[in-house]
Amino acid sequence: MAEKSDKYDRLIAAARDGTPAVTIVAHPCDESSLRGAMLAAAERIIEPVLVGPVAKITAIANEHGIDIAGREIIDAPHSHAAAAQAVALVRAGKGELLMKGSLHTDELMKEVTSSTTGLRTERRISHVFIMDVPGHPETLFITDAAINIQPDLETKRDIVQNAIDLWTGIGLGIPKVAILSAVETVTTKLPSTIDAAALCKMADRGQITGGLIDGPLAFDNAINPEAATIKGIGGPVAGHAQILVVPDLESGNMLAKNLIFLSHADAAGVVVGARVPIVLTSRADTVSTRLASCAVAAIYANALIARAAMSA
């Protein structure tokens, strides 16, 4: 059984085998965000372009012994300007990834989601936690626990498709997707069970593609084969789910944080559904988590570039 960090090590190794993704880093103006970008660069996962106040970035690098020699820095006077400039650079084709620095997530995502100058596509933007849970044999995706607060059915369809595309895009194969609720039967008393049933039918009709989908499933019978057997739930997903789709942001956030703080899981994170993958890091992230977030985003970015080249 894979121990903690083994899964991330494989992702980081796979990213090293590819071309470092040109990554626009928005406002890396504290030690953790600047060091994280430079560590990923040292591992040849990304090729960072730093956007923010040049004097401040240089001072932080000097203060903390972070080597930024030879790195491109594009001056922006403050965090809002850095977010706008970073998004504009990606929109102009100057970057293959976008990475959050020390600014607030909402400040960056406001620029990303702008209908006129942002990075929106026909798909709803969503967040995926890539979880490395000690004692659990596989990587777990949890979505969406950070962007969409109370998604409707159409938004959930995009959330599911985004997660499937990410899973397959980073080379993990065909995912088993569980649409979670509190119970595994459909009831009008729990609207999330009705959404789950509708999403499964959408998959049957080709409105969601690329994964094996089942739901509603409770958390236990989604990931534990014995629990699924006791409940009499068959099929390839029950007990073996790899992507967990939560009913709403609150439940997803609590699930992810329970795994982080009680099971000591690592939680890398990537935003998908925009023109490019977006790395959202936190000051609390470990080195392994930061590198894994960059690795997943870089592998996926290279897959998107290859797919676009083939369809051109």
Side-chain angles (χ1 to χ4, degrees):
M1 187 172 288
E3 294 300 326
K4 181 176 174 179
S5 85
D6 287 355
K7 309 173 194 76
Y8 282 1
D9 288 345
R10 291 194 290 270
L11 290 168
I12 292 165
R16 287 196 202 102
D17 290 339
T19 303
V22 178
T23 302
I24 310 301
V25 187
H27 203 254
C29 290
D30 65 3
E31 180 188 3
S32 61
S33 61
L34 186 58
R35 191 179 297 281
M38 291 303 105
L39 284 171
E43 293 286 344
R44 298 195 72 258
I45 296 171
I46 67 170
E47 185 67 37
V49 176
L50 311 177
V51 181
V54 173
K56 189 170 185 179
I57 292 171
T58 303
I60 290 166
N62 291 336
E63 180 182 355
H64 297 286
I66 302 171
D67 183 8
I68 60 171
R71 300 297 178 186
E72 183 178 3
I73 306 177
I74 296 176
D75 192 38
H78 45 69
S79 59
H80 179 73
Q85 179 73 349
V87 168
L89 287 167
V90 173
R91 190 178 173 93
K94 305 296 185 182
E96 298 154 355
L97 290 183
L98 179 62
M99 185 174 181
K100 172 182 169 289
S102 58
L103 74 175
H104 197 278
T105 298
D106 287 348
E107 194 170 11
L108 180 62
M109 294 308 298
K110 180 180 178 182
E111 297 297 329
V112 169
T113 57
S114 169
S115 59
T116 54
T117 60
L119 303 175
R120 296 173 72 170
T121 67
E122 73 283 352
R123 193 86 63 79
R124 188 68 176 254
I125 292 171
S126 57
H127 181 273
V128 179
F129 274 122
I130 300 99
M131 309 289 297
D132 184 353
V133 184
H136 191 73
E138 295 190 86
T139 300
L140 282 178
F141 280 14
I142 296 177
T143 189
D144 177 350
I147 299 290
N148 296 285
I149 298 173
Q150 290 183 308
D152 59 17
L153 180 61
E154 290 299 320
T155 301
K156 286 182 179 180
R157 189 213 75 86
D158 285 353
I159 289 170
V160 174
Q161 192 65 66
N162 283 344
I164 291 172
D165 288 352
L166 179 62
W167 184 278
T168 58
I170 65 174
L172 297 179
I174 297 173
K176 300 177 179 70
V177 184
I179 314 299
L180 296 185
S181 185
V183 297
E184 58 281 343
T185 54
V186 179
T187 170
T188 56
K189 295 177 182 178
L190 285 172
S192 61
T193 66
I194 298 173
D195 282 355
L199 289 165
C200 291
K201 180 54 67 176
M202 293 171 87
D204 290 344
R205 298 291 166 86
Q207 292 172 270
I208 301 171
T209 60
L212 304 173
I213 302 175
D214 196 5
L217 291 171
F219 180 74
D220 57 345
N221 49 57
I223 65 163
N224 185 278
E226 184 179 356
T229 300
I230 290 170
K231 289 291 183 72
I233 306 170
V237 176
H240 303 281
Q242 297 158 318
I243 297 176
L244 305 176
V245 181
V246 298
D248 54 37
L249 183 146
E250 287 179 309
S251 58
N253 191 273
M254 285 186 277
L255 173 58
K257 287 181 178 176
N258 275 332
L259 292 173
I260 293 166
F261 289 100
L262 294 181
S263 297
H264 307 290
D266 279 332
V270 178
V271 172
V272 286
R275 292 193 187 189
V276 299
I278 303 168
V279 179
L280 296 182
T281 56
S282 165
R283 281 178 292 182
D285 286 345
T286 64
V287 170
S288 176
T289 299
R290 288 178 183 277
L291 291 178
S293 297
C294 291
V296 167
I299 297 167
Y300 190 42
N302 283 326
L304 292 175
I305 292 167
R307 187 185 307 166
M310 289 177 63
S311 62

